[in-house]
Each structure stands twice: as C-alpha cells, then as structure tokens.
C-alpha cells in the first residue's frame, strides 16, 4: 500500500467519492450533479481520468435513488438513470482521491475506517469553503492534466484546514431530506449545487455560464 494509504487506484485517475447515510438522497444528488457540472463545463469531454462515485455509511445496497432526488436532478438537467445504492466499503475509501461527505458525522466515520483518509476527506461545504480561499494560479495548469490539478487542489485544501474554520457548527452540514416533501429536496439540491460550483470551477478552470 502506498504511503497515502491508497493501493488500488491508478495514478492516472482521480476518484471523487460522495458519502451520505443511505446513498439514496444526498450523495446520489451530489454525484450526479458533479458529473453534470463537469460535463457542462468541459463541453461533454469528461474522460475516464476523473471518476465520480457515491456510497452510504448505512447504504441501501442495490436500492434505487429516491424519487424526489431524481426529480431534483431533472430540475438541473442532470441524469438520474441507472443509479443503484451502495454501502460504503473499505475499498471505496482506499481508492478515493477525494471523499466529500454530507455531514461531519459522515466525515468522522470515513476517517475512522483508516486508510490514511484524513487528509483527503472533507464535508462538501468544508471543502467548498477551503477551495474558495485557494488562488487558482497556484494550481498546476490544465495543460498538465486535470488529475494533477485535482490532486494539488486536495493538498492545498488540506493545508488550509485548521486555519479557515467554519463560522458555525452547522455551516458544514447538508441535512437529510429523506422522507421530506419535494420542496425540501429542492432546497437541499440548491445547497449542493451551490457548494459544488466553486469546486468544479477550481477543477476545470471554467466558470459556470449564467
């Protein structure tokens, strides 16, 4: 196993793993919105170098995405098809270059699994806050490849953690909409989409069209 604790992933790929509880609401929304945003920014030219996945700490293995979650994705024009829930396994954490969780509890659970995951595991909103503070000019140019740029972004964010604290304990949380009406799902979808925007901009060097 490598010093970073990752012994499976290829050095030519970068894996983003989104984690929530059941892997039927928040993390599927985040996974598919990430894919959608990357494709939109890159003109549909997302390659196999960048892999976006999700799993749940109490994942409903093989379960479909919640209908309201799929409806939220449709609102954004993102693809909800073919999704099946997964329970978070050691191999998912080992292979991930970046783990983005819905809550601080999820982050703690991922880190507790070991695999030197601490430096590459953040809540989504925490990572967004850190990324906003990173000067894009300090990252490798896109000509060097998105994988190198993404890895540098994670290292820079990890270096800032502890210096750039959340304004409140709740600031880094994405609350669970499971069982809630579609209006709450849509508010959570908006939160997730807004949190992803600066992350995808930093990864691709392309801002969202308004």
């Amino acid at each position: 196993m490598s010093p970073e604790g990752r012994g499976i992933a290829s050095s030519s790929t970068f894996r983003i793993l989104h984690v929530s509880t059941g892997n039927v609401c928040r993390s599927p929304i985040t996974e598919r919105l990430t894919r959608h945003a990357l494709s939109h920014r890159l003109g549909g030219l997302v390659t196999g170098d960048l892999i976006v996945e999700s799993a749940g700490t109490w994942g409903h293995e093989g379960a479909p995405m919640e209908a309201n979650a799929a409806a939220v994705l449709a609102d954004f024009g993102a693809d909800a098809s073919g999704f099946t829930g997964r329970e978070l396994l050691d191999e998912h954490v080992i292979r991930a270059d970046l783990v983005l969780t819905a809550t601080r509890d999820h982050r703690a659970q991922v880190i507790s699994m070991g695999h030197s995951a601490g430096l590459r595991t953040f809540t989504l909103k925490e990572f967004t806050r850190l990324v906003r503070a990173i000067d894009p000019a300090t990252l490798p140019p896109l000509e060097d490849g998105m994988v190198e740029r993404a890895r540098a972004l994670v290292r820079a964010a990890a270096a800032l953690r502890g210096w750039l604290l959340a304004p409140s304990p709740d600031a880094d949380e994405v609350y669970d909409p499971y069982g809630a009406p579609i209006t709450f799902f849509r508010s959570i979808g908006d939160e997730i989409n807004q949190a992803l925007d600066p992350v995808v901009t930093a990864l691709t060097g392309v801002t969202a069209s308004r």
Side-chain angles (χ1 to χ4, degrees):
M1 184 173 292
S2 67
E4 294 81 12
R6 296 174 58 253
I8 298 177
S10 165
S11 61
S12 63
T13 61
F14 186 90
R15 286 180 180 265
I16 302 173
L17 175 65
H18 294 294
V19 175
S20 63
T21 303
N23 194 217
V24 291
C25 297
R26 288 168 292 181
S27 50
I29 291 173
T30 315
E31 173 196 319
R32 295 305 176 91
L33 284 182
T34 303
R35 292 185 188 180
H36 178 70
L38 287 168
S39 178
H40 183 71
R41 305 287 177 94
L42 298 174
L45 298 177
V46 180
T47 69
D49 295 347
L50 195 59
I51 300 166
V52 184
E53 304 173 306
S54 64
T57 55
W58 291 89
H60 300 299
E61 189 74 29
M65 188 186 308
E66 280 288 298
N68 281 347
V72 166
L73 290 173
D75 290 343
F76 287 99
D79 183 15
S81 65
F83 181 87
T84 55
R86 301 193 305 176
E87 183 170 356
L88 181 66
L89 303 176
D90 289 272
E91 66 188 66
H92 301 146
V93 177
I94 291 169
R95 293 167 60 177
D97 296 277
L98 172 62
V99 184
L100 296 176
T101 70
T103 70
R104 291 168 296 160
D105 282 346
H106 296 133
R107 182 185 64 194
Q109 288 180 66
V110 171
I111 293 172
S112 74
M113 295 171 71
H115 315 301
S116 303
L119 291 177
R120 50 196 167 90
T121 302
F122 310 79
T123 74
L124 171 62
K125 289 186 176 180
E126 174 192 21
F127 193 67
T128 298
R129 185 176 67 256
L130 298 171
V131 164
R132 287 183 186 276
I134 297 168
D135 182 355
T138 64
L139 299 174
L142 287 170
E143 290 76 12
D144 290 353
M146 195 176 297
V147 169
E148 289 308 311
R149 185 179 177 93
R151 289 189 177 144
L153 184 66
V154 174
R155 289 194 298 269
L160 283 174
R161 184 159 49 190
W163 295 93
L164 194 62
L165 302 178
S168 70
D170 293 338
D172 288 340
E173 305 283 292
V174 175
Y175 291 107
D176 193 355
Y178 185 78
I182 186 63
T183 51
F184 188 65
F185 267 85
R186 287 191 168 118
S187 70
I188 293 299
D190 287 339
E191 278 187 38
I192 291 170
N193 190 59
Q194 290 173 27
L196 285 172
D197 179 62
V199 175
V200 176
T201 296
L203 285 171
T204 64
V206 181
T207 58
S209 56
R210 304 298 180 185

